[in-house]
Amino acid sequence: MRPLDPRLIAHAKSARRHLLTAVVIGIATAMAVIAQATVLGHVIADIFAGNTIGVPGAVAWIAVLGGARALLAWAAEATAHRASAHVKSELRRATLAHIGALGPTWVAMQSTSDVATTLVRGLDALDLYFARYLPSLVLAAVVPVAGGVWILSQDALSAVIIAITVPLVPFFMVLVGRFTAGE
């Protein structure tokens, strides 16, 4: 199974709108995360430098940005649940229309409980996909890229170091796993 199922997107037009909304909210969340981290970094640097004049204002900005992130998380959750309801409704209508097109002979040969289970439990399983998985997938794709671009714009050497070291993380995870598996 692919991370983003193209069949589901093809069959449910409202899923496309949800993906676009999730991307917009993901970009806004990434910007809030980066802004909060930047302000926090400046506060920590100022404190270590002995300059505490701007700390209260910066802490207020961190709180405002935290509130913005909470509001964005709520918006993502609300739109995800709304999108899930629309997609399930759309897919239920399409499934019932298909069953109707197959005719009463086909319906008589099927187990009513199997059809009902598919229409209810099967489509209700999409809630987790739209409410949790897709928003997380979008954030996992958007935040690292946005963070990398921000780091590159602030300090190219740090961006190069990160670009070299981050791909080594899975390599060392495999090494640790192999080493500990032998013991």
Side-chain angles (χ1 to χ4, degrees):
M1 185 172 156
R2 294 179 179 165
L4 186 62
D5 193 344
R7 296 172 301 164
L8 184 58
I9 304 304
H11 289 296
K13 291 182 175 89
S14 54
R16 295 180 207 144
R17 282 193 314 255
H18 165 63
L19 281 176
L20 180 62
T21 304
V23 167
V24 169
I25 291 173
I27 290 169
T29 301
M31 290 170 42
V33 166
I34 291 168
Q36 197 174 29
T38 301
V39 173
L40 183 62
H42 285 295
V43 166
I44 292 170
D46 285 347
I47 289 172
F48 275 106
N51 181 10
T52 58
I53 295 171
V55 171
V59 169
W61 271 111
I62 291 171
V64 167
L65 290 166
R69 287 179 58 192
L71 186 63
L72 287 166
W74 172 83
E77 187 87 13
T79 57
H81 284 292
R82 194 173 310 118
S84 178
H86 285 118
V87 168
K88 289 188 314 184
S89 175
E90 191 176 330
L91 289 174
R92 278 193 180 105
R93 280 193 301 269
T95 304
L96 288 171
H98 184 70
I99 290 170
L102 290 173
T105 307
W106 182 87
V107 172
M109 293 186 312
Q110 302 304 312
S111 165
T112 315
S113 63
D114 288 345
V115 174
T117 299
T118 300
L119 284 172
V120 177
R121 282 191 188 165
L123 291 176
D124 281 345
L126 291 174
D127 281 334
L128 287 177
Y129 182 77
F130 282 98
R132 300 278 183 244
Y133 177 74
L134 280 183
S136 297
L137 179 67
V138 169
L139 283 178
V142 171
V143 171
V145 172
V149 169
W150 178 253
I151 292 169
L152 181 63
S153 73
Q154 298 299 305
D155 184 11
L157 179 60
S158 294
V160 169
I161 291 169
I162 290 170
I164 291 170
T165 58
V166 166
L168 294 175
V169 171
F171 173 73
F172 285 115
M173 289 173 69
V174 168
L175 284 178
V176 168
R178 286 186 180 169
F179 178 73
T180 56
E183 292 184 19

